[in-house]
Amino acid sequence: MKGFHERNDSLKRSSKTSIDSSPTSGTGSEPGPSDSKFTKTSLWSNFFASAFSVFDTISDSSTSSSSTLACEKKASFSKTNGWTAAVKRVVSGGSMRRIHERVMGPSKTGMSSSTSDIWLLGLCYKISQESSGDLDAINGLTAFKHDFSSRILMTYRKGFDAICDTKITSDASWGCMLRSSQMLVAQALLFHRLGRSWRKPLQKPFDQAYIEILHQFGDSEASAFSIHNLIKAGKTYGLAAGSWVGPYAMCRSWESLARSKREENNQEHQVLPMAVYVVSGDEDGERGGAPVFCIEDASRHCFEFSRHEADWTPILLLVPLVLGLDKVNLRYIPSLQATLTFPQCLGILGGKPGASTYIVGVQEENALYIDPHDVQPVVNLSPDNLEADTSSYHCDTIRHIPLDSIDPSLAIGFFCQDKDDFDDFCCRASRLAEESKGAPLFTVAQTHGALKRIHHGNTMADAGEVRADDSIGGTDENSNEDDWQIL
């Protein structure tokens, strides 16, 4: 991990970006009327979102009635709003990505020319060899591609049942953050049920667990983790059909959905067989500063998930972050790279303002990601159909963007299978904070009593050690340099 820091020293020295403490600035993925620093891309994004959000309503209203009045209205609408129909045809024709690339800037596809190691969700693939034709390098690249294409893809869908009491039957243009989060949680379920070494079989029949996982992410209320149920669970956090949502609200919505599903089912039949812990703020509320991962809290979540029957259970950790204003502060890039080397890493919900993607790997300063911005017909798989066509849930197109160009509002996911795995994660996270040179993504504390005593640049060497804090609530005149925004 130190290699990441060493390679980026020059970047960090050149960075003079200060982190604002405003609760609304810097959240490009969650636009709202109170934002004071909208970028041009955000404005363009809102323009397209407004246009796209009426598609299904228009379609329904233009076909639901055969009356003369309806026909007249339809004709009138066609004359005055022909551009809307044209844009809809573009979207329906599978050109959504081209629109996003025009607005947000193009991403690069395929492998870069670099021969540096590739990290994909905690696994390292050796590409660098003395000879470009080296067999080990070829095998490493092939293994990486198989691993990448085995990750579950969730994209925009069209033609599903209307969401709640709306007429919306497609999430095209607004559901990318929901789809990205579905991919992250799907990987957690894959890791839990089939292990990190699982790869999609080349021949059918498929694994029962694999099909059951895909079934849970179908696009209907019957599927536990559909966008229908996510929106219902996240109403408190601003989730609504047709609207964008930021990483923090997305993480809280998953926490709410997991809680509701736990209450619906007995312990032996949990659709999400793991506790969910959103790491954000401190015990006095999300007031800013590096989020503190509290071991006591994680233990409590596991204990409650097991209904007080076990001290530890598998646990999904979600860490929403804001790492800058208009772009990520370069001081955080090495730590972001390093998290993708953790064996517990599930990836990052990130992307560009208004265009969320699922980041799963890193090669040097480039983030490798899976893109949800394709519109596909709805697919609801039967959990017993082991011969099902699952091609729409996978992608072998490798895309990459510079890490320093992603939206500073993001969330990182981790999955710990057992207590040993959790302890290993805590050790790695603590060491990463120590090596962050005053700019940790998050810190680790054993108990709530230790939260205010953790020093950002001198986090404990292990989970049990706590050191005095001079930066939180102190009078250091330079303390504002490392302030974070309220999430």
Side-chain angles (χ1 to χ4, degrees), residues 239-310:
L239 264 68
S243 299
W244 281 327
V245 65
Y248 176 79
M250 195 72 258
C251 291
R252 289 297 184 188
S253 297
W254 273 104
E255 180 183 50
S256 177
L257 179 59
R259 186 185 306 113
S260 67
K261 294 302 178 184
R262 184 174 70 244
E263 295 171 352
E264 291 175 8
N265 301 282
N266 59 43
Q267 191 62 29
E268 292 74 26
H269 298 89
Q270 290 293 330
V271 291
L272 188 64
M274 59 193 71
V276 178
Y277 173 26
V278 178
V279 182
S280 180
D282 57 27
E283 77 276 22
D284 295 326
E286 287 90 24
R287 302 180 309 177
V292 180
F293 177 87
C294 180
I295 296 175
E296 185 180 72
D297 276 353
S299 179
R300 175 175 55 80
H301 279 77
C302 290
F303 190 58
E304 291 176 354
F305 174 78
S306 70
R307 293 186 168 91
H308 304 171
E309 293 179 2

Side-chain angles (χ1 to χ4, degrees), residues 39-72:
T39 62
K40 292 182 179 179
T41 56
S42 296
L43 291 172
W44 274 107
S45 301
N46 285 332
F47 167 76
F48 281 113
S50 299
F52 297 157
S53 65
V54 300
F55 288 165
D56 292 290
T57 303
I58 293 169
S59 176
D60 290 341
S61 63
S62 63
T63 59
S64 61
S65 173
S66 59
S67 66
T68 302
L69 180 60
C71 291
E72 291 175 352

